[in-house]
Amino acid sequence: MSFLDLHAINKSFGPNTVVKDFNLSLARGKFVSFLGPSGCGKTTVLRIIAGFENPSSGTIHIDGQDVTGLTASQRKIGMVFQAYALFPNMNAAGNVGFGLKVAGASRDEIEARVAEMLKLVGLLGFEKRFPFELSGGQQQRVALARAIAPRPRMLLLDEPLSALDAKIRVSLRAQIREIQRELGITTVFVTHDQEEALSVSDDIVVMHAGLIEQHGNPFDIYNRPATPFVADFIGQLNTLHAEVAEPSRNMVRIGAAELNVPSLPAIARAGDRVALKLRPESMRLANGHDRGIALSGHVAHASFLGSVVRLGIDLGGGDVVKLDSFNDRQTLPPEVGAPLTITFLVDDIVSTQMANQQRSA
Amino acid sequence: MSFLDLHAINKSFGPNTVVKDFNLSLARGKFVSFLGPSGCGKTTVLRIIAGFENPSSGTIHIDGQDVTGLTASQRKIGMVFQAYALFPNMNAAGNVGFGLKVAGASRDEIEARVAEMLKLVGLLGFEKRFPFELSGGQQQRVALARAIAPRPRMLLLDEPLSALDAKIRVSLRAQIREIQRELGITTVFVTHDQEEALSVSDDIVVMHAGLIEQHGNPFDIYNRPATPFVADFIGQLNTLHAEVAEPSRNMVRIGAAELNVPSLPAIARAGDRVALKLRPESMRLANGHDRGIALSGHVAHASFLGSVVRLGIDLGGGDVVKLDSFNDRQTLPPEVGAPLTITFLVDDIVSTQMANQQRSA
Amino acid sequence: MKHGFPIASTLIVFVAAAYFLVPLYATFQFSLQMKRGELSLASYASVLASADFINTLSYSAIASFAAILFGAILVVPTAYWVRLKLQKLRPAVEFLSLLPLIIPPVVLVFGHIRLFGSSSILPLTMTSTGTDILLIVGYVVLSLPYMFRAVDNGMAAIDIATLTEAAESLGASRLRTIVEIIFPNVRSAIVAGAFLTFSISLGEFVLASLLNRPAFGPYMVQLGEDRAYEPAALAILSFALTWILMLLMQLFATRKPNQRLLPRFGTGQSRKLAP
Amino acid sequence: MKHGFPIASTLIVFVAAAYFLVPLYATFQFSLQMKRGELSLASYASVLASADFINTLSYSAIASFAAILFGAILVVPTAYWVRLKLQKLRPAVEFLSLLPLIIPPVVLVFGHIRLFGSSSILPLTMTSTGTDILLIVGYVVLSLPYMFRAVDNGMAAIDIATLTEAAESLGASRLRTIVEIIFPNVRSAIVAGAFLTFSISLGEFVLASLLNRPAFGPYMVQLGEDRAYEPAALAILSFALTWILMLLMQLFATRKPNQRLLPRFGTGQSRKLAP
């Protein structure tokens, strides 16, 4: 049986419906991310789970108990906020111990648990520091310790990393995931950053305009997007235009090459133009160990990004595809205008759409 | 002869010296980035070029003219600010035309130039919009148009993208670079974002604590860092520990393998432990086309980041190296604990340091 | 977060509103009762017919406008330069701007009478014009906390330093920057400060009374001691006058996009509720 | 951006400072001249020996403290709930808090005398205690703009809504949240508001005079009309008293980390100059 159950949640603010018929079942100990652009309703769902907002309709069960009617203070859910929200008048120990004090724990018990929690987040020795004496990353680690100190049934994280610097963001997300695994605590993580969601989650719920677009593991979300929105929102997509050759056999033609694509839109007729969608990293520069389809073109632009070199390759006919390759210390990136050949596998085609439905990636 | 010449610039605020003996010669039409962590002095140098700060000592020449004593309003330098700094009481046309109006251009002339500039930044038709009616990216494009409308001798950009969303940041940096190429205007770009600097610049000046650490093109900055600071600050570094075998022949030993490294610290003696530094993308999973040195280990952690899969590989002896590989739709990332073999070339070793000087990458 | 609180606090807000509005209504109602047994505007007619009313009102209005003018000329450049160049002096200037609230006006008046009295080198109190000047200066001082706050917050809302640098990099002189960039963007803040200055000056009693000026405040108090119904009419009139003026000033300031109806003292951050 | 401006504006700041400090000094100097030809504290002795001084001062001090207490009890929960739950009512509440600056006090007094006069259902003005209550309520109202601003800005500085949610998610009741989280974090803001309330109430004249209360303000004005040197001494004394009180209040509020010495009305953003 699932640990967290959201059933038919709807939420409106006045005339605006921000969450529509949201259903989710989550097993105990899982780490799930809500991912979507701002305004997609992900934070509202989180706040409904926490008890900060009432759903307009629907029910919330945690561990079999219907908590829909409970206040936030009765739900036993730990929460970490984007803006840290440490109590400025208390030091780190006071913050971490607050939930235990409220629960009526003894002084010794609180002290021991505070030490344990601060050790867990790597801040042992920082007990006496006030929030304004801590860096952003340290504050958020104290906030995490505070949230889990009273042994909540669940942990909710509301964009906890978006106020932090890039390097700290990466290291703290790994630390959060490690702690979550260690404690086995069921966790919901809200973010608009796809790399963050992909890298830490067991499961991802991609949301758009109040609806769930896809619910799956990171690998599937990225490699088998269920809707055009997910395909576009997560990662980048190249578009290759082709002409339908034989719709019945899923054959298309690019220039002189014919290829058998995994699928074609049902309405496609011979002679229609279709758009094949591929990830930039699925395309390779031809290097002797060639595979799959090869297409020739020339470099339209080249960006050296450090570990990755990103080329824009003009294949003629209006198609400029992006191609990522790793930096090689011995080889300068190609010059603009240089001719080259790219290869890809038909299995790498993420989706095939009618050309007039094309979106820019 | 160089177009911009900074000679022996020093700047102190009270007791703090924030720029130390800064020298720079820049050819006409170049795009140079100042890159460094916050507080490194990069913005101060930019503000000294603009005329918003006076250097404590040193001279600034633009196109042969000594401008050290000129006010900002006399220097004819266009500037784009992080916070856009559009005049809230003027619409887009009013903002773009302000510099020309100040210079005494005629009404027709202003109108024509405003249209030309707005077209250049892709905002034709937005003349009547006020700043609060524009998105962040649009505001910054208007700010760019405003800066270049009076045909300044140089363009200065002070972290122009850091207030924008990730996707807009990437597209606007490409647009800025394109416009800069089209106009051939000498440009200085300040950023703390290495990918931004690497992708758009002809030249990069890496700064640290008021000093220039390295001045070179992006490829060299990344692949041939001149100082340990640059190596650490730009990109990521793996550390592989090795034992010095024969210092005279630059031979080291890792486990049973002996290899000839490009260089060794002069003080290295046989039996000393040294740290070899390599980029994550220099390491490859062994795949049959093996090359260079091969080392065996097992997966310590695996993150799926979308286009890239990042593995941490435990090679034993305390060395856990990161390895980036591109996502493959057909292959799930390896499980934690799975054994595998990595390969790298000795030419990919960025630097070799004594093990006790080791820094975390 | 869900039970009952909105009702309790809405109640508080209504009680607070009632605290102002009920007396206002009571005053208005009373002002209509001059003729026994019927509601009439007789008390208003009586007030408006009085030469003292017109004279003191116009005297105070002129003095208030003068105070607004001098106040703006003093405050706008000061606030601008402090923000631009004298960040270190900010605490001192902020403190100065609050002094008029802390120093009882009586102290100021005594000090001025001493300084500018018959035996001083600048015997302003000896002439009527001199005393008028002292009164206006006093009004400027009394309104300083509000004027400075309003203008300073108006400048905080736009990033004055960066706007100045942007204008400079486009070749604009300092004067041009102030006239074309700074002033248009703080105009509504100046109007807010002016409105408060006017309100305070019009009803002010202590300064005008001690300097013995024929101002509206002392006239109101005097009438309050002498008559029954006219003071109520007077209070309503002065209230209405203040509001009409405020509306006129708002209309004048309306051209700027994105302005607020009410003077703004604080940060007024609003919290993002939905995701 | 480089030439001369710091000098010009530094000058303005000094002139502004002089405008307050010179009269203060002149008053002080004059207060020492009661005995012809020598400097003495005779005027102070005369003031301090007067029973009226002690009586009116203690009366006003008690009334001020009462006003502070009631003001805080009214303002802190209101400001808290408005921030937390009634963002839509913010403009209305902000406007209400400014009303006392806009409505002349005379109007309020007339309204109250009408409402609570001999013929009303709550004839407060008929008893001394009733009038005292009216005076205190009047002081609360007069200080509302300052008290509300100070507390509201204190709450803006910390994110009150998120702190409340954080406390709730840790199981805390609303009362516990207010007592342990909200109050300690706005204590210095309350002290700032209290200080201004005290300053204003102590020197207030119009309300006290119209309600005919034995308060310090009317006493100062009365003395100013009757005597020569004592008023100066009185002004200095009241000034000193206000400051001593402020220091005491600051000491009381000092435990909180990261506080400011001065009451804070605005955003007080400081600009980052170096990179």
Side-chain angles (χ1 to χ4, degrees):
Chain A
M1 210 204 112
S2 60
F3 182 77
L4 172 70
D5 245 307
L6 302 181
H7 178 65
I9 301 282
N10 283 277
K11 176 69 183 178
S12 307
F13 291 107
N16 302 320
T17 304
V18 295
V19 178
K20 289 168 204 152
D21 194 34
F22 191 99
N23 290 282
L24 180 71
S25 290
L26 192 63
R28 187 189 297 268
K30 285 288 175 190
F31 190 115
V32 69
S33 292
F34 293 172
L35 174 64
S38 61
C40 72
K42 57 191 191 298
T43 297
T44 305
V45 176
L46 192 81
R47 292 175 58 81
I48 287 172
I49 301 173
F52 299 141
E53 308 278 358
N54 286 321
S56 304
S57 65
T59 56
I60 307 134
H61 285 78
I62 298 177
D63 206 5
Q65 182 199 6
D66 184 346
V67 301
T68 317
L70 299 186
T71 64
S73 54
Q74 296 164 330
R75 291 195 187 182
K76 297 192 176 157
I77 295 180
M79 176 106 181
V80 175
F81 300 85
Q82 179 176 351
Y84 323 142
L86 293 184
F87 306 131
N89 55 314
M90 301 179 188
N91 59 22
N95 270 283
V96 176
F98 184 78
L100 297 160
K101 203 171 120 199
V102 168
S106 75
R107 219 187 151 81
D108 288 353
E109 203 179 324
I110 294 175
E111 208 168 287
R113 181 78 178 159
V114 166
E116 185 190 344
M117 289 297 104
L118 286 177
K119 189 171 169 212
L120 188 68
V121 299
L123 286 176
L124 208 57
F126 285 70
E127 285 82 356
K128 298 265 177 283
R129 297 274 190 97
F130 280 90
F132 74 96
E133 298 171 306
L134 297 168
S135 72
Q138 291 170 337
Q139 286 190 57
Q140 199 58 299
R141 277 144 75 198
V142 172
L144 179 64
R146 179 179 68 175
I148 54 183
R151 298 182 178 84
R153 299 191 288 188
M154 283 187 66
L155 182 61
L156 307 181
L157 305 159
D158 185 8
E159 308 229 13
L161 306 172
S162 48
L164 300 170
D165 285 345
K167 284 209 171 181
I168 295 165
R169 212 150 57 209
V170 171
S171 74
L172 190 50
R173 81 185 181 205
Q175 205 183 357
I176 287 174
R177 176 54 160 158
E178 220 167 85
I179 290 171
Q180 185 269 338
R181 276 219 182 88
E182 200 174 323
L183 302 178
I185 186 170
T186 315
T187 299
V188 180
F189 179 87
V190 161
T191 182
H192 64 270
D193 180 326
Q194 42 165 302
E195 189 186 298
E196 222 164 84
L198 290 169
S199 66
V200 299
S201 314
D202 291 317
D203 267 16
I204 294 177
V205 174
V206 182
M207 292 182 68
H208 176 49
L211 293 165
I212 296 183
E213 292 271 335
Q214 187 171 1
H215 178 182
N217 68 46
F219 189 80
D220 281 348
I221 293 276
Y222 185 82
N223 285 312
R224 303 185 212 300
T227 69
F229 172 82
V230 176
D232 249 18
F233 181 71
I234 314 271
Q236 296 201 299
L237 277 182
N238 281 321
T239 299
L240 267 184
H241 284 96
E243 194 188 301
V244 177
E246 283 181 60
S248 55
R249 287 176 47 226
N250 288 347
M251 292 297 290
V252 302
R253 198 180 295 120
I254 300 180
E258 289 223 339
L259 53 154
N260 191 297
V261 298
S263 69
L264 272 179
I267 57 165
R269 299 281 162 268
D272 282 355
R273 273 170 69 75
V274 290
L276 314 182
K277 302 285 189 178
L278 291 107
R279 301 284 183 198
E281 72 272 12
S282 302
M283 306 200 153
R284 302 283 155 83
L285 290 179
N287 64 353
H289 313 292
D290 287 3
R291 43 173 223 148
I293 317 301
L295 296 172
S296 294
H298 65 268
V299 177
H301 49 85
S303 301
F304 178 75
L305 306 181
S307 62
V308 165
V309 177
R310 177 161 298 161
L311 303 180
I313 295 162
D314 189 342
L315 297 172
D319 285 343
V320 177
V321 298
K322 285 187 188 126
L323 186 150
D324 283 353
S325 58
F326 283 122
N327 164 55
D328 177 347
R329 275 188 99 217
Q330 268 69 47
T331 317
L332 280 167
E335 298 283 321
V336 169
L340 41 71
T341 300
I342 62 164
T343 67
F344 65 93
L345 303 174
V346 287
D347 282 345
D348 286 331
I349 297 170
V350 174
S351 73
T352 307
Q353 300 165 11
M354 299 303 290
N356 53 355
Q357 295 173 342
Q358 157 193 11
R359 304 192 199 187
S360 65
Chain B
M1 209 205 113
S2 60
F3 182 77
L4 171 69
D5 246 308
L6 302 182
H7 179 65
I9 301 283
N10 283 277
K11 177 68 183 177
S12 307
F13 291 106
N16 301 320
T17 304
V18 294
V19 177
K20 289 169 205 153
D21 193 34
F22 191 99
N23 291 282
L24 180 71
S25 290
L26 193 62
R28 186 190 298 269
K30 286 288 179 193
F31 190 115
V32 69
S33 292
F34 293 173
L35 175 64
S38 61
C40 72
K42 57 192 190 298
T43 296
T44 305
V45 176
L46 191 81
R47 292 174 58 81
I48 287 171
I49 300 173
F52 299 140
E53 308 277 358
N54 287 321
S56 304
S57 65
T59 57
I60 307 132
H61 285 77
I62 299 177
D63 206 4
Q65 180 198 9
D66 184 346
V67 301
T68 317
L70 298 186
T71 63
S73 54
Q74 297 164 329
R75 291 194 187 184
K76 297 191 177 157
I77 295 179
M79 176 105 180
V80 175
F81 300 85
Q82 179 176 350
Y84 323 142
L86 292 183
F87 305 132
N89 55 316
M90 300 179 189
N91 59 22
N95 269 282
V96 176
F98 184 78
L100 297 160
K101 201 172 120 199
V102 168
S106 75
R107 215 185 154 80
D108 289 351
E109 202 180 324
I110 294 175
E111 207 167 288
R113 181 78 177 157
V114 166
E116 185 189 344
M117 289 296 105
L118 286 177
K119 189 171 169 211
L120 188 68
V121 298
L123 286 176
L124 209 57
F126 285 70
E127 286 82 358
K128 298 266 176 283
R129 298 272 191 101
F130 280 90
F132 74 95
E133 299 171 307
L134 297 170
S135 72
Q138 291 169 337
Q139 286 189 57
Q140 199 58 299
R141 278 143 76 199
V142 172
L144 179 64
R146 178 179 70 177
I148 55 184
R151 298 183 177 81
R153 299 191 288 189
M154 283 187 65
L155 182 61
L156 306 181
L157 305 159
D158 185 9
E159 308 229 14
L161 305 173
S162 48
L164 300 170
D165 284 346
K167 285 208 168 180
I168 296 164
R169 211 150 58 211
V170 171
S171 73
L172 190 49
R173 82 185 181 206
Q175 204 183 358
I176 287 174
R177 178 54 157 156
E178 221 166 84
I179 290 171
Q180 184 270 340
R181 276 218 182 88
E182 200 173 322
L183 302 179
I185 187 170
T186 315
T187 298
V188 180
F189 180 87
V190 161
T191 183
H192 65 270
D193 181 324
Q194 42 164 304
E195 189 186 298
E196 222 164 85
L198 290 168
S199 65
V200 299
S201 315
D202 291 316
D203 267 17
I204 295 176
V205 174
V206 182
M207 293 184 66
H208 176 50
L211 292 165
I212 295 181
E213 290 272 334
Q214 187 171 1
H215 178 182
N217 68 45
F219 190 81
D220 281 349
I221 293 275
Y222 185 83
N223 285 312
R224 302 181 214 299
T227 68
F229 173 82
V230 176
D232 249 17
F233 182 70
I234 314 269
Q236 296 203 298
L237 277 182
N238 281 321
T239 299
L240 268 183
H241 284 96
E243 193 187 302
V244 177
E246 283 180 58
S248 55
R249 288 176 47 225
N250 287 346
M251 293 296 289
V252 302
R253 197 180 294 122
I254 301 180
E258 289 224 340
L259 54 156
N260 191 295
V261 298
S263 69
L264 272 178
I267 56 166
R269 298 283 163 267
D272 282 355
R273 272 169 71 75
V274 290
L276 313 182
K277 302 284 189 178
L278 291 108
R279 301 285 183 197
E281 72 272 12
S282 303
M283 306 201 154
R284 301 283 156 83
L285 290 179
N287 64 353
H289 314 293
D290 286 4
R291 42 173 224 150
I293 317 299
L295 296 172
S296 295
H298 65 268
V299 177
H301 49 84
S303 301
F304 178 75
L305 306 182
S307 64
V308 166
V309 176
R310 177 161 298 160
L311 303 179
I313 295 162
D314 188 342
L315 297 173
D319 284 344
V320 177
V321 298
K322 284 187 190 125
L323 184 149
D324 283 354
S325 58
F326 282 122
N327 164 54
D328 178 345
R329 277 187 98 216
Q330 269 68 47
T331 317
L332 281 167
E335 298 284 320
V336 170
L340 41 71
T341 301
I342 62 164
T343 67
F344 64 93
L345 303 174
V346 288
D347 282 345
D348 286 331
I349 296 170
V350 174
S351 73
T352 306
Q353 299 165 13
M354 299 304 288
N356 53 354
Q357 296 174 340
Q358 158 195 10
R359 303 193 198 187
S360 66
Chain C
M1 301 243 344
K2 3 181 124 160
H3 311 295
F5 275 110
I7 296 164
S9 41
T10 308
L11 209 71
I12 287 184
V13 171
F14 276 109
V15 168
Y19 189 84
F20 293 102
L21 300 179
V22 170
L24 200 65
Y25 176 73
T27 307
F28 177 62
Q29 228 249 352
F30 184 67
S31 73
L32 301 178
Q33 297 174 352
M34 192 168 178
K35 291 193 179 161
R36 189 164 288 266
E38 62 168 309
L39 297 181
S40 75
L41 295 172
S43 61
Y44 291 88
S46 162
V47 165
L48 291 171
S50 143
D52 279 353
F53 169 76
I54 305 295
N55 291 340
T56 57
L57 182 62
S58 48
Y59 177 86
S60 281
I62 292 168
S64 297
F65 281 122
I68 288 168
L69 191 68
F70 288 123
I73 290 174
L74 179 71
V75 164
V76 176
T78 306
Y80 178 55
W81 284 321
V82 168
R83 277 209 165 259
L84 207 59
K85 288 304 219 171
L86 302 173
Q87 284 292 340
K88 280 181 193 161
L89 274 181
R90 260 195 88 67
V93 173
E94 247 180 65
F95 172 69
L96 272 180
S97 80
L98 284 175
L99 268 188
L101 292 177
I102 296 166
I103 301 180
V106 183
V107 175
L108 273 183
V109 175
F110 287 141
H112 280 99
I113 291 177
R114 280 280 74 220
L115 260 188
F116 305 114
S118 49
S119 56
S120 88
I121 46 164
L122 195 64
L124 285 177
T125 57
M126 299 309 287
T127 65
S128 164
T129 315
T131 326
D132 290 345
I133 291 173
L134 278 185
L135 185 71
I136 290 166
V137 170
Y139 287 172
V140 169
V141 170
L142 282 187
S143 64
L144 209 56
Y146 315 105
M147 195 59 134
F148 182 79
R149 269 298 115 207
V151 170
D152 194 52
N153 281 319
M155 289 186 179
I158 54 173
D159 180 352
I160 221 77
T162 310
L163 287 186
T164 300
E165 289 180 354
E168 265 191 85
S169 75
L170 293 167
S173 66
R174 182 56 54 99
L175 182 66
R176 186 157 198 152
T177 304
I178 291 180
V179 171
E180 294 194 24
I181 310 293
I182 306 307
F183 177 75
N185 285 306
V186 296
R187 193 172 45 182
S188 70
I190 294 173
V191 169
F195 172 64
L196 287 175
T197 303
F198 187 80
S199 302
I200 288 162
S201 309
L202 203 64
E204 202 282 330
F205 171 77
V206 175
L207 269 184
S209 156
L210 288 175
L211 287 172
N212 200 22
R213 292 287 82 199
F216 194 57
Y219 167 72
M220 282 204 290
V221 171
Q222 187 62 41
L223 205 71
E225 287 172 8
D226 297 349
R227 304 291 192 89
Y229 296 96
E230 282 87 345
L234 198 56
I236 297 296
L237 281 175
S238 88
F239 184 69
L241 185 76
T242 312
W243 279 93
I244 289 166
L245 223 95
M246 171 160 134
L247 290 177
L248 288 177
M249 284 177 168
Q250 279 304 132
L251 284 179
F252 163 74
T254 295
R255 267 188 48 227
K256 186 175 168 268
N258 219 357
Q259 56 160 16
R260 289 168 56 99
L261 182 71
L262 291 172
R264 233 189 131 160
F265 275 69
T267 52
Q269 291 166 337
S270 72
R271 187 162 157 264
K272 208 178 69 174
L273 270 176
Chain D
M1 302 248 333
K2 6 182 119 157
H3 311 296
F5 276 112
I7 296 164
S9 41
T10 308
L11 208 71
I12 286 185
V13 171
F14 276 110
V15 168
Y19 188 84
F20 293 101
L21 300 179
V22 169
L24 200 63
Y25 175 73
T27 306
F28 177 62
Q29 227 248 351
F30 183 67
S31 73
L32 300 178
Q33 297 174 352
M34 192 167 180
K35 291 193 178 160
R36 190 164 288 267
E38 62 169 307
L39 297 181
S40 75
L41 295 173
S43 63
Y44 291 88
S46 162
V47 164
L48 291 172
S50 143
D52 279 352
F53 170 76
I54 304 294
N55 291 339
T56 58
L57 181 62
S58 47
Y59 178 86
S60 282
I62 291 168
S64 298
F65 280 123
I68 288 169
L69 191 68
F70 288 122
I73 289 175
L74 178 72
V75 163
V76 175
T78 305
Y80 177 55
W81 284 320
V82 168
R83 278 210 164 259
L84 206 59
K85 288 305 219 169
L86 303 173
Q87 285 293 340
K88 281 182 193 161
L89 276 180
R90 260 196 88 67
V93 174
E94 248 181 64
F95 172 70
L96 273 180
S97 80
L98 284 175
L99 268 188
L101 293 177
I102 296 165
I103 301 179
V106 183
V107 175
L108 272 183
V109 176
F110 287 141
H112 281 100
I113 291 177
R114 280 280 73 218
L115 261 188
F116 305 114
S118 49
S119 57
S120 89
I121 46 164
L122 195 64
L124 286 176
T125 57
M126 298 310 286
T127 65
S128 164
T129 315
T131 326
D132 290 347
I133 291 173
L134 278 185
L135 184 71
I136 290 167
V137 170
Y139 286 173
V140 170
V141 170
L142 282 187
S143 63
L144 209 55
Y146 314 105
M147 195 58 134
F148 183 79
R149 269 298 116 208
V151 170
D152 194 53
N153 281 319
M155 289 186 181
I158 55 173
D159 179 352
I160 221 80
T162 310
L163 287 186
T164 300
E165 289 180 355
E168 265 191 84
S169 74
L170 293 167
S173 66
R174 181 57 54 97
L175 182 67
R176 186 157 199 153
T177 305
I178 292 181
V179 171
E180 294 195 24
I181 310 294
I182 306 306
F183 178 76
N185 285 306
V186 296
R187 192 171 45 182
S188 70
I190 294 173
V191 169
F195 172 67
L196 286 175
T197 303
F198 187 79
S199 301
I200 288 161
S201 309
L202 203 65
E204 201 283 330
F205 171 78
V206 174
L207 269 184
S209 156
L210 287 176
L211 288 172
N212 200 23
R213 293 287 83 200
F216 195 57
Y219 168 73
M220 282 204 289
V221 170
Q222 188 60 43
L223 204 72
E225 287 173 7
D226 298 348
R227 305 288 193 89
Y229 296 94
E230 283 86 346
L234 198 56
I236 297 297
L237 281 176
S238 89
F239 185 68
L241 185 77
T242 311
W243 279 93
I244 289 166
L245 223 95
M246 171 159 132
L247 290 178
L248 287 178
M249 285 177 169
Q250 278 304 134
L251 284 179
F252 163 74
T254 295
R255 268 186 49 227
K256 186 176 168 267
N258 218 357
Q259 56 159 15
R260 290 168 56 99
L261 182 71
L262 292 171
R264 232 190 131 162
F265 274 70
T267 53
Q269 292 166 336
S270 72
R271 187 162 157 266
K272 209 179 69 176
L273 270 175

